[in-house]
Amino acid sequence: MKTALITGITGQDGSYMAELLLSKGYEVHGLVRRSSTSNTSRIDHLDFKNPESHVHLHNGDLSNSEQIANIIQNVNPDEVYNLAAQSQIDISLDMPEYTGDITGLGTTRILEAIRRSGQHIRFYQASTSELFGNETPPQNENTPISPRSPYACAKAYAYWMTRNYRDSFGIYAVNGILNNHESPRRGSLFVTKKITGTLANILAGKERFLYLGNIDTKRDWGFAPEYVEAMRTMMYLDNPGDYVIGTGETHSVREFVTKAFDYAGLYWDNYVKINPEQIRPNDVNYLCADPTRARCTFDWKPRITFEDLVKIMVDSDCRKLGLECPGEGYEILAKKFPGKWWAVD
């Protein structure tokens, strides 16, 4: 039985990765940041409190190199997926030092623990398309790195350290340079979840307006479980490398809002207000993936379209509030993913 350690197991990607690995017979260990309140809602269905469960949680923090080294030594994983980060761009503007410590140096602490262990542990680093800033789209593995936020700067440091440990010490280490990927498990502060969550609240009569910043920024949006599958595939190639993952299409925040409200039978302009305080300084305007390398190397091909994704997320947030939903999103999932390995939220 293979063993994997997932940092950020309680997040969107971490929870899906745990499910994927369990479906393949892994023993899964997760690093969980200690908190006074429970933050395990995304993985509670995995029954990790059961002594016979194949999911084991360890309290730890990416700021503590001794904790990380001890966990890696005790677990002795075959694979480490570093999916933890301070990933909110807005928070990184307010807390740049903390973001650099967790998102940047945290990666180095893991890599150094792997190196010192002397074991043949494979390492996945969650990189991001935010590395590219406003470089000309579409962006691929040869696009210059030009970060425009403390979060992106920290991710750039982690990206280069991952390559450095691969080249200098022979560690099987890969960077997954993923474009935006969403799901019903997306955190509430991310714009897609904010849109669909607030829309559901409007339908339920709990909110009147949706407040947004720059709605003309463009992103390449995909479906998180597909991207998690790509992560694991990268860990099983003959040679480690770096891969851009995305759909190759770009859509604005305005388009996401329009599609979501249209799907729910509302005219968005009656409910959306622009809040200048939510407009970021030095924002990234246009990200679009060129996933040619991934397509040629391991046949990367997303199945969920932008419109599919919007429907899936709206259906999920409506259902969570006990509202009737059109249901097309769930029909799409059943059709495109028969026998899926993840739980439908």
Side-chain angles (χ1 to χ4, degrees), residues 152-218:
C153 289
K155 282 290 190 180
Y157 174 85
Y159 167 85
W160 284 114
M161 290 303 287
T162 299
R163 292 189 59 163
N164 187 273
Y165 271 75
R166 179 173 72 216
D167 297 339
S168 299
F169 304 116
I171 294 174
Y172 190 106
V174 302
N175 280 295
I177 309 170
L178 273 55
N179 278 255
N180 292 58
H181 46 289
E182 321 295 315
S183 77
R185 299 183 192 176
R186 194 54 148 152
S188 61
L189 296 180
F190 289 90
V191 67
T192 53
K193 188 67 170 180
K194 184 177 180 180
I195 292 167
T196 60
T198 304
L199 170 57
N201 283 337
I202 290 171
L203 291 170
K206 294 183 176 184
E207 291 189 66
R208 179 69 180 89
F209 297 110
L210 167 64
Y211 295 92
L212 296 171
N214 183 0
I215 63 173
D216 293 315
T217 57
K218 296 181 178 181

Side-chain angles (χ1 to χ4, degrees), residues 18-250:
E19 286 176 296
L20 176 60
L21 296 179
L22 288 170
S23 75
K24 296 183 178 298
Y26 277 65
E27 190 85 11
V28 173
H29 294 256
L31 185 69
V32 179
R33 182 162 50 91
R34 185 69 176 171
S35 174
S36 59
T37 57
S38 174
N39 61 349
T40 61
S41 59
R42 294 185 181 95
I43 59 170
D44 283 340
H45 65 287
L46 299 181
D47 198 25
F48 59 87
K49 295 179 182 179
N50 185 337
E52 297 182 3
S53 172
H54 290 293
V55 179
H56 313 277
L57 302 186
H58 306 264
N59 289 317
D61 196 294
L62 291 184
S63 66
N64 190 317
S65 56
E66 183 178 359
Q67 279 184 336
I68 293 170
N70 287 339
I71 290 171
I72 287 177
Q73 180 180 356
N74 293 334
V75 172
N76 191 24
D78 298 286
E79 301 158 19
V80 174
Y81 295 86
N82 183 29
L83 310 183
Q86 192 305 97
S87 57
Q88 288 289 331
I89 293 176
D90 293 342
I91 292 175
S92 81
L93 294 168
D94 293 330
M95 304 176 67
E97 183 178 350
Y98 174 76
T99 301
D101 186 22
I102 300 302
T103 306
L105 283 172
T107 302
T108 303
R109 294 181 182 110
I110 298 171
L111 286 164
E112 183 62 8
I114 290 173
R115 184 184 75 83
R116 288 174 177 251
S117 76
Q119 302 301 311
H120 296 292
I121 300 172
R122 297 189 172 209
F123 175 76
Y124 174 87
Q125 168 60 20
S127 287
T128 171
S129 57
E130 291 288 333
L131 294 175
F132 301 129
N134 280 329
E135 293 294 325
T136 303
Q139 296 97 3
N140 61 31
E141 296 81 2
N142 297 317
T143 299
I145 290 178
S146 182
R148 292 172 68 86
S149 68
Y151 164 72
C153 289
K155 282 290 190 180
Y157 174 85
Y159 167 85
W160 284 114
M161 290 303 287
T162 299
R163 292 189 59 163
N164 187 273
Y165 271 75
R166 179 173 72 216
D167 297 339
S168 299
F169 304 116
I171 294 174
Y172 190 106
V174 302
N175 280 295
I177 309 170
L178 273 55
N179 278 255
N180 292 58
H181 46 289
E182 321 295 315
S183 77
R185 299 183 192 176
R186 194 54 148 152
S188 61
L189 296 180
F190 289 90
V191 67
T192 53
K193 188 67 170 180
K194 184 177 180 180
I195 292 167
T196 60
T198 304
L199 170 57
N201 283 337
I202 290 171
L203 291 170
K206 294 183 176 184
E207 291 189 66
R208 179 69 180 89
F209 297 110
L210 167 64
Y211 295 92
L212 296 171
N214 183 0
I215 63 173
D216 293 315
T217 57
K218 296 181 178 181
R219 293 294 184 270
D220 184 328
W221 274 305
F223 185 49
E226 294 192 89
Y227 287 54
V228 167
E229 290 176 331
M231 294 178 196
R232 184 174 181 273
T233 300
M234 290 179 211
M235 294 280 266
Y236 279 86
L237 301 175
D238 290 339
N239 298 298
D242 309 313
Y243 293 91
V244 168
I245 301 295
T247 67
E249 296 182 4
T250 189

Side-chain angles (χ1 to χ4, degrees), residues 230 233-234 237 243 245 293-301:
T233 300
M234 290 179 211
L237 301 175
Y243 293 91
I245 301 295
R293 179 184 290 180
R295 183 170 61 247
C296 293
T297 304
F298 54 89
D299 196 28
W300 162 253
K301 189 180 297 182

